[in-house]
Amino acid sequence: MASGMQEKLYNPSLLSFFVYNPSFGPREGEEEKKILFYHPSDVEKNEKIRNVGLCEAIVQFTRTFCPTKPAKSLHTQKNRQFFFEAEDSFWIVMVHWCSCSVFLKPVDRFWSPEHSKHVFCKYSLIDTVYGAVLRQCYSMYKLFNGTFVRAMETGGVELLMQKLEKFFYRYLQTLHLQSCDLLDVFGGIAFFPLDKMTYLKIQSFVNRVEESLSLIKYTTFLYNDQLIWSGLEQDDMRILYKYLTTSLFPRHSEPELAGRDSPLRPEVAGNLLHYGRFLTGPANIKDPEAKFRFPRIFVNTKDSYEELHLIVYKAMSAAVCFMISASMELTREFCEQLDSLVGPQLTLLASDICEQYNVNRRISGPEKEPQFKFIYFNHMNLAEKSTIHMRKTASVSLTSVHPDLMKILGDINCDFARVDEDEEIIVKAMTDYWVVGKKSDQRELYVILNQKNANLIEVNEEVKRLCATQFNNIFFLD
Amino acid sequence: MDKDDNQEKGETEDIRSCDPPSVDPNLSTETDNCSKAECQNNSGDQPSTDPEQAPTENGHEDSGEFVVTMLARGKLEEQGVGMMGSCPPLSITGTSEGAPTHRDEDVMAESWRQHRKHVFVLSEAGKPIYSRYGSEEALSSTMGVMMALVSFVQSSDNTIRSVYSDGHTVVFMQKGPLVLVSVSSSRQSEQQLRGELLYVYYQIVSMLTQASITRIFENKKNYDLRRLLAGSEKILDGLLNLVDSDPSFLLAAVHCLPLASSLRDSLSQILQKAITPNLVFSILIAKNQLLTIVQEKTVIEDARLEPADVHLLLNLIGASSAFQAGEIWTPICLPLFNPDCYFYAYISYLDPPECTVCLLLLSTDKEAFYAVAECKRRIEEAMLTQSSLSLIAKAHCYSVSQVGVSDLRHFMYKPFDIPDHHKQLTQFTSPEMEAPYSTEEERRRLLDLYRHMHGRIHSSSRPLKLIYHVAERETLLAWVTSKFELYTCFSPLVTKACAINAITKLLRWIKKEEDRLFIRYPPKYSTTPNPSKTHDKNE
């Protein structure tokens, strides 16, 4: 089984992605009706039906052994399929092609699936990561389109298919599977560390705005792509956060980073009172002809099921989201009112925060322990922190460690998920890197140490030091 | 025994043409040319005799002690029971055989679904061959679905490997014309489950040989292999029980009974002297652990005996009490050594009726029963003079307290740097499981923990050197170096410093005791093969 050739795991690429509901075409000859969305669309109809049929068969087969916990993934020699029953009888399936490059043959430089027929590598994809990515695909769809069931109720299968096509066609292009890792499993939120005073200032700002503009239902406040305050439920916030930080903010960040005299600098148009502007809605508030639209999002889908306008307003590094019921029409006047109310206050607040932040940094001295590569996640408030990941852009999230080490973190995370109790797992990889995982209550901490000649006790001491400085209020097992 | 002959002949009339031990001379050449692709230890010069002759033709005219067993014909149980009357169905492996109930289990019931590990074997044509729980007949539609899944994926030039759900892992494996499926809620890695399926496959091969299986299905794609395996379900059941409860399978190593090296040497010498032409292996087992093994020089030059073969052998013997009846002479295939031909095994317990000490002599000569039986008598005599049996009875597994390290609850140690390593039988040592692992459930749980660490450390894509796991009920450390593999279990409150100290002490203790714990220098003998039975290397 093990080939003698050198193999290296390469990018898993998306082979296909489809949504189906087996109850839509139960009879022979009607199979095509089950398929609600299929990417790539140019695949032959019978091929689509076959692939969907296989998924159905696998799910049914696993139900023989446990009716309530059907299949989550299928591994074959050439690909991996992930299944997710998003809503009752609605299944989403993602198929990955795992490609390999074999270094010995120069022709493989132009490696493509056709050439790879004879070379299929051992998998090292972690199921939990891609299962999480698949669920995230659904959550993102649901954020902007509501549930499948509602779409069916509103406009039948046709409407649902339209929505799926419109959303996934674009969204799948933004998926970068090779950079998916443990953070996708967590789906966490980075919180911005603040002192009490500044936090209170932000709180009172939010309260003032919500009082003045009574239409506003929910508000969230972010600084520097990190969350400070949110009025939304956790599950909704985490997917909104992902959208903001990986899609909306990066799209609008380039002009801001440009220099003062750069032509890219957003048109301030004589308004020197504040630096606030709309990221969604009217790009230029001064232009009366310009049409604008706010994106609609759906929150609380399990109970109150609300459709809201999403207003994202930014001043320097501070960004605020205001959510207003979609049944309201948001006029230009309203936007101007919001702009004049929020703009100056937010600008002031943003510079306050910036100042405080710099002060804090000076006090605390040089960046705390930058040499520690770690990932921290708290299941209770979804707070995550990673010194391994560089800034997430729309395209890719860079890590400063080898992907295999990230997969080891994933393995440890799987082990932690098996039990409820607090645990500690320390491993030494073949490359002599040490990985330490600690679980305490609902918190997880992973540390990667590059200390080849250290032994277990030394590694333990190092990690204890890290915990003492960064996490001194959390009891981790010794 | 004779009374069974006619019954057999009548029964096997229709399958004689594709049955391995048929008298059809035309089939004899095929085994020589059979593909040895799967065989890891290619022993081309193995003087394999013609396995086509039905072993039932051997010595039927003999004394009542002499039982000829034809495992593949499934007469084993009938003969054994017929001879012994009502013998207790407890095998020496310690697993009680409640097997009859498995066959009748209701496959629709929740209890069937909740079994920890199902194993199914079916043919490429979807015909059921074996199911661990429930009868194959009742499960034929489930097996049909499995085969459909396999073929469906195959039709797009792909191979199905596994299916994961929250509760279960399903692993598919195809070996030649057989498809093996494991449905497990034990949370083991795919690699491990696959390894277990391989053991099931090899156990089937040990009864039929790979060449025969291939030939049978070539001739008749929808042949019902159960006809040849009837009666041997309990062997597969026993194997799967062992796999779950015995760490030797996980470690791919053999467990030796700790013995003073002087005693072991004297036993080895006794075996070394009692030889006959074509004798290849002489093995002495007590309490299902190895006492000593003596191997034929030239055979070992080319290929070593794999632990898996020893495990399969031990399971075969242990799975049935019929072997406790006097002397047994049976064809047996050692699948990793050579999957395509039979050895002939002489099996005899030296201490009836307790039946804890078993002598195993393997020959390549089908006709050598008398000569081999004579070896046994010589061995018995020598052991009597030396009172070996009473000395062996005193030997037993050691307690972890002998190591003298507090906090250490249990360990498994497998050395790599043994003399002549690539030719020697891989072994491991491990103490008794004591409190808090004194119940079946706790032992299973500890073994599951070891299995999990083994799976992580030997992962094919991201192997590790060391794992230290602090959990609620114990702390475990697994460590792989170029010299050894070690799994240790400590109390959960042990500090890292203590654990490291404990391991240092443990390694020192093992080094000190290694002559007692392991067979360090397995002796050899030389048996000139009978010229008329030798096959040329070039054939």
Side-chain angles (χ1 to χ4, degrees):
Chain A
M1 223 165 30
S3 91
M5 298 183 285
Q6 256 197 310
E7 295 174 23
K8 189 184 171 173
L9 263 309
Y10 211 68
N11 301 322
S13 48
L14 188 66
L15 188 60
S16 61
F17 185 101
F18 47 93
V19 181
Y20 73 93
N21 186 327
S23 56
F24 286 4
R27 287 187 293 274
E28 188 126 358
E30 287 189 334
E31 290 90 357
E32 204 184 354
K33 291 194 191 163
K34 298 181 203 175
I35 306 175
L36 300 165
F37 171 77
Y38 199 106
H39 162 84
S41 49
D42 54 0
V43 164
E44 206 213 312
K45 182 180 88 159
N46 283 331
E47 177 79 16
K48 292 183 189 178
I49 293 175
R50 268 175 62 93
N51 291 338
V52 170
L54 177 63
C55 296
E56 266 187 274
I58 297 273
V59 168
Q60 271 312 103
F61 173 66
T62 51
R63 286 214 157 107
T64 324
F65 297 97
C66 185
T68 51
K69 294 183 186 165
K72 285 192 314 190
S73 68
L74 164 69
H75 296 197
T76 65
Q77 192 192 12
K78 293 186 185 178
N79 59 45
R80 232 176 233 204
Q81 306 195 19
F82 300 92
F83 311 110
F84 175 51
E85 189 173 15
E87 294 173 34
D88 197 28
S89 294
F90 284 96
W91 287 85
I92 309 183
V93 179
M94 183 166 67
V95 185
H96 288 203
W97 186 297
C98 187
S99 51
C100 243
S101 66
V102 177
F103 290 155
L104 300 177
K105 300 185 205 165
V107 73
D108 290 331
R109 263 199 312 130
F110 303 105
W111 195 87
S112 73
E114 297 85 64
H115 297 151
S116 75
K117 265 198 179 36
H118 311 290
V119 178
F120 287 97
C121 52
K122 294 167 265 192
Y123 284 105
S124 89
L125 308 175
I126 302 189
D127 273 16
T128 40
V129 172
Y130 293 101
V133 170
L134 183 56
R135 280 193 295 281
Q136 222 169 54
C137 287
Y138 170 70
S139 299
M140 196 65 89
Y141 167 87
K142 191 171 64 123
L143 180 70
F144 291 104
N145 292 278
T147 59
F148 296 157
V149 170
R150 284 289 173 117
M152 292 279 301
E153 285 169 4
T154 322
V157 182
E158 295 75 32
L159 178 63
L160 177 59
M161 287 175 71
Q162 265 173 34
K163 281 177 176 264
L164 289 169
E165 174 73 39
K166 187 160 169 238
F167 177 80
F168 281 114
Y169 181 72
R170 262 183 319 142
Y171 186 72
L172 293 179
Q173 291 172 24
T174 67
L175 273 187
H176 287 268
L177 298 172
Q178 58 265 37
S179 62
C180 292
D181 59 25
L182 187 61
L183 288 189
D184 292 285
V185 177
F186 291 147
I189 301 172
F191 283 87
F192 189 78
L194 266 188
D195 60 293
K196 286 200 205 61
M197 267 319 286
T198 322
Y199 185 79
L200 282 173
K201 280 190 198 168
I202 295 170
Q203 268 266 249
S204 56
F205 160 77
V206 171
N207 289 340
R208 275 199 308 275
V209 177
E210 282 188 344
E211 217 195 300
S212 314
L213 301 170
S214 52
L215 289 180
I216 295 175
K217 277 181 121 179
Y218 305 105
T219 314
T220 63
F221 193 109
L222 297 96
Y223 185 87
N224 215 12
D225 282 13
Q226 292 169 298
L227 188 65
I228 293 178
W229 158 261
S230 165
L232 282 177
E233 287 296 322
Q234 254 188 14
D235 277 339
D236 292 324
M237 189 59 231
R238 83 204 294 183
I239 191 69
L240 179 64
Y241 177 81
K242 182 148 176 80
Y243 165 69
L244 293 172
T245 54
T246 58
S247 178
L248 188 66
F249 290 161
R251 251 187 289 148
H252 290 91
S253 69
E254 284 88 57
E256 278 192 345
L257 297 174
R260 192 178 286 267
D261 300 316
S262 157
L264 288 173
R265 195 146 175 81
E267 185 59 59
V268 182
N271 184 351
L272 298 167
L273 293 174
H274 64 83
Y275 286 114
R277 62 194 177 100
F278 284 89
L279 292 189
T280 61
N284 184 357
I285 196 81
K286 296 295 172 203
D287 182 355
E289 299 302 313
K291 294 222 191 307
F292 65 90
R293 220 191 126 263
F294 289 105
R296 304 246 181 131
I297 60 171
F298 294 79
V299 301
N300 289 326
T301 51
K302 289 211 159 59
D303 25 56
S304 47
Y305 204 94
E306 299 162 68
E307 188 178 353
L308 308 160
H309 292 289
L310 175 68
I311 303 172
V312 184
Y313 190 90
K314 191 165 186 193
M316 302 197 306
S317 296
V320 199
C321 302
F322 299 107
M323 283 152 269
I324 296 175
S325 171
S327 55
M328 302 287 146
E329 198 204 321
L330 298 181
T331 59
R332 174 162 295 285
E333 290 71 43
F334 175 81
C335 296
E336 282 174 357
Q337 193 190 2
L338 191 125
D339 183 64
S340 55
L341 173 66
V342 174
Q345 291 188 48
L346 190 62
T347 309
L348 215 58
L349 207 47
S351 56
D352 267 352
I353 298 172
C354 187
E355 214 181 289
Q356 269 305 313
Y357 183 62
N358 288 332
V359 163
N360 286 339
R361 281 177 68 170
R362 252 174 304 180
I363 291 178
S364 66
E367 182 70 0
K368 285 181 190 169
E369 312 292 356
Q371 69 267 31
F372 277 112
K373 294 194 205 284
F374 69 85
I375 293 179
Y376 166 81
F377 180 68
N378 184 337
H379 286 268
M380 286 185 293
N381 62 1
L382 305 184
E384 84 182 12
K385 180 166 173 149
S386 166
T387 57
I388 293 175
H389 294 79
M390 269 74 102
R391 193 171 187 72
K392 276 191 180 207
T393 67
S395 53
V396 89
S397 157
L398 302 166
T399 58
S400 58
V401 304
H402 193 274
D404 276 350
L405 282 175
M406 286 307 296
K407 287 174 185 125
I408 292 175
L409 292 196
D411 287 338
I412 297 178
N413 169 259
C414 284
D415 288 347
F416 283 159
R418 284 156 70 127
V419 292
D420 288 329
E421 295 87 29
D422 292 351
E423 293 200 335
E424 181 188 21
I425 298 179
I426 304 179
V427 306
K428 184 174 185 188
M430 292 306 259
T431 47
D432 287 332
Y433 274 78
W434 288 86
V435 180
V436 178
K438 282 179 184 279
K439 177 172 129 168
S440 165
D441 212 0
Q442 298 260 2
R443 303 176 183 86
E444 293 177 34
L445 172 68
Y446 301 86
V447 186
I448 297 180
L449 293 165
N450 178 10
Q451 291 175 356
K452 296 193 189 259
N453 296 318
N455 66 24
L456 190 64
I457 299 175
E458 287 161 12
V459 164
N460 193 42
E461 291 303 309
E462 278 287 297
V463 175
K464 269 174 40 179
R465 273 203 296 130
L466 166 66
C467 289
T469 52
Q470 295 255 8
F471 305 103
N472 58 354
N473 56 339
I474 302 171
F475 171 70
F476 282 113
L477 290 178
D478 183 7
Chain B
M1 305 141 283
D2 285 1
K3 65 184 186 291
D4 294 317
D5 233 6
N6 294 329
Q7 212 176 342
E8 264 177 56
K9 287 203 177 100
E11 223 181 65
T12 57
E13 212 68 285
D14 46 332
I15 56 170
R16 203 158 265 254
S17 55
C18 43
D19 186 26
S22 78
V23 288
D24 186 349
N26 294 329
L27 293 173
S28 59
T29 50
E30 285 186 48
T31 45
D32 300 340
N33 302 330
C34 59
S35 121
K36 291 188 167 63
E38 301 285 346
C39 181
Q40 282 179 323
N41 303 300
N42 199 345
S43 52
D45 66 339
Q46 180 63 7
S48 53
T49 52
D50 181 3
E52 297 313 312
Q53 292 286 354
T56 46
E57 288 164 13
N58 280 337
H60 268 264
E61 60 273 17
D62 267 6
S63 69
E65 275 182 50
F66 180 58
V67 175
V68 172
T69 55
M70 245 324 288
L71 285 172
R73 298 289 177 93
K75 289 302 154 192
L76 179 68
E77 290 321 299
E78 293 172 22
Q79 284 180 345
V81 171
M83 284 291 294
M84 306 281 281
S86 54
C87 51
L90 195 69
S91 75
I92 57 171
T93 59
T95 55
S96 62
E97 297 164 346
T101 56
H102 286 168
R103 303 284 145 242
D104 304 321
E105 208 175 317
D106 177 10
V107 303
M108 293 296 128
E110 185 60 31
S111 54
W112 182 83
R113 278 200 287 271
Q114 288 187 352
H115 280 297
R116 188 182 129 108
K117 193 179 292 170
H118 289 270
V119 174
F120 306 99
V121 183
L122 43 144
S123 71
E124 255 180 333
K127 269 220 150 62
I129 295 174
Y130 168 77
S131 162
R132 188 180 187 186
Y133 301 108
S135 83
E136 304 84 42
E137 271 315 309
L139 290 163
S140 57
S141 57
T142 311
M143 298 219 209
V145 170
M146 287 182 221
M147 198 54 227
L149 292 173
V150 172
S151 328
F152 190 96
V153 177
Q154 233 169 29
S155 63
S156 30
D157 199 24
N158 196 356
T159 318
I160 192 170
R161 280 211 154 115
S162 51
V163 179
Y164 290 82
S165 64
D166 262 336
H168 294 86
T169 305
V170 184
V171 176
F172 295 84
M173 184 169 90
Q174 178 149 9
K175 287 292 268 180
L178 299 186
V179 174
L180 299 101
V181 183
S182 171
V183 181
S184 166
S185 57
S186 65
R187 297 200 192 159
Q188 286 170 270
S189 69
E190 187 181 324
Q191 242 175 303
Q192 277 182 1
L193 292 172
R194 213 172 274 284
E196 292 177 1
L197 286 179
L198 204 56
Y199 261 110
V200 173
Y201 172 73
Y202 280 139
Q203 187 81 80
I204 296 175
V205 169
S206 74
M207 296 187 269
L208 302 178
T209 78
Q210 192 164 271
S212 314
I213 296 172
T214 315
R215 198 170 0 101
I216 289 168
F217 284 100
E218 254 167 29
N219 279 342
K220 201 172 170 205
K221 271 226 154 10
N222 60 348
Y223 182 75
D224 188 352
L225 202 63
R226 280 178 296 178
R227 288 151 125 194
L228 290 183
L229 290 175
S232 52
E233 293 92 357
K234 63 160 50 172
I235 292 170
L236 294 176
D237 288 346
L239 175 70
L240 289 168
N241 289 338
L242 271 188
V243 162
D244 277 342
S245 59
D246 186 341
S248 356
F249 292 84
L250 175 69
L251 297 173
V254 178
H255 203 177
C256 302
L257 195 64
L259 216 58
S261 52
S262 52
L263 176 55
R264 210 191 296 276
D265 286 343
S266 70
L267 291 171
S268 304
Q269 276 167 28
I270 293 173
L271 292 180
Q272 248 173 332
K273 295 202 188 106
I275 57 176
T276 179
N278 291 318
L279 195 66
V280 188
F281 295 111
S282 305
I283 305 173
L284 203 56
I285 301 158
K287 298 163 194 157
N288 218 38
Q289 290 171 64
L290 203 58
L291 283 177
T292 181
I293 176 167
V294 189
Q295 305 162 98
E296 210 285 330
K297 223 177 270 177
T298 47
V299 164
I300 285 304
E301 282 303 305
D302 282 315
R304 76 170 182 185
L305 187 64
E306 291 290 336
D309 280 337
V310 177
H311 296 147
L312 295 172
L313 211 49
L314 293 182
N315 179 53
L316 214 55
I317 296 167
S320 166
S321 55
F323 283 105
Q324 295 175 4
E327 307 160 288
I328 308 281
W329 178 246
T330 179
I332 206 163
C333 169
L334 296 182
L336 284 103
F337 198 84
N338 186 336
D340 298 323
C341 55
Y342 286 107
F343 283 91
Y344 294 87
Y346 177 92
I347 303 164
S348 171
Y349 283 89
L350 300 178
D351 62 338
E354 291 95 17
C355 293
T356 59
V357 183
C358 182
L359 174 68
L360 203 57
L361 300 168
L362 271 75
S363 167
T364 56
D365 181 2
K366 178 169 45 98
E367 313 293 347
F369 173 75
Y370 293 106
V372 175
E374 180 53 33
C375 291
K376 179 242 180 173
R377 280 181 249 289
R378 298 209 305 262
I379 292 168
E380 237 178 352
E381 268 173 40
M383 283 177 74
L384 202 57
T385 27
Q386 297 182 20
S387 316
S388 312
L389 282 178
S390 56
L391 291 170
I392 292 170
K394 294 209 191 86
H396 49 78
C397 208
Y398 57 95
S399 152
V400 70
S401 51
Q402 279 187 28
V403 181
V405 175
S406 58
D407 287 323
L408 183 65
R409 288 183 178 175
H410 187 261
F411 67 88
M412 302 191 304
Y413 175 88
K414 174 176 151 186
F416 299 141
D417 63 339
I418 43 181
D420 209 17
H421 170 62
H422 41 279
K423 298 230 181 91
Q424 243 220 64
L425 192 64
T426 319
Q427 300 158 51
F428 78 99
T429 185
S430 180
E432 293 278 13
M433 278 201 195
E434 292 162 29
Y437 309 105
S438 13
T439 61
E440 270 296 317
E441 205 189 312
E442 280 298 298
R443 289 177 186 190
R444 165 76 58 88
R445 194 180 64 80
L446 181 60
L447 198 51
D448 279 346
L449 291 169
Y450 282 148
R451 267 193 274 259
H452 184 67
M453 297 181 94
H454 185 279
R456 284 261 187 260
I457 245 186
H458 291 291
S459 152
S460 52
S461 48
R462 36 192 182 275
L464 303 167
K465 286 187 180 178
L466 182 143
I467 303 178
Y468 186 83
H469 187 159
V470 181
E472 200 199 13
R473 291 198 263 178
E474 51 268 303
T475 292
L476 299 145
L477 189 147
W479 191 12
V480 174
T481 69
S482 54
K483 297 211 162 66
F484 62 82
E485 194 172 319
L486 174 66
Y487 299 85
T488 49
C489 173
F490 298 94
S491 93
L493 299 173
V494 74
T495 64
K496 292 180 182 63
C498 276
I500 301 287
N501 273 343
I503 292 198
T504 319
K505 278 203 191 142
L506 173 64
L507 292 173
R508 241 183 266 141
W509 180 83
I510 292 175
K511 185 92 194 129
K512 191 168 67 102
E513 299 284 325
E514 63 186 1
D515 283 329
R516 196 170 65 93
L517 301 173
F518 303 108
I519 301 171
R520 303 268 297 158
Y521 303 94
K524 305 189 181 60
Y525 49 57
S526 176
T527 63
T528 331
N530 192 327
S532 63
K533 296 288 179 191
T534 310
H535 285 236
D536 247 316
K537 260 190 200 173
N538 303 324
E539 256 180 39

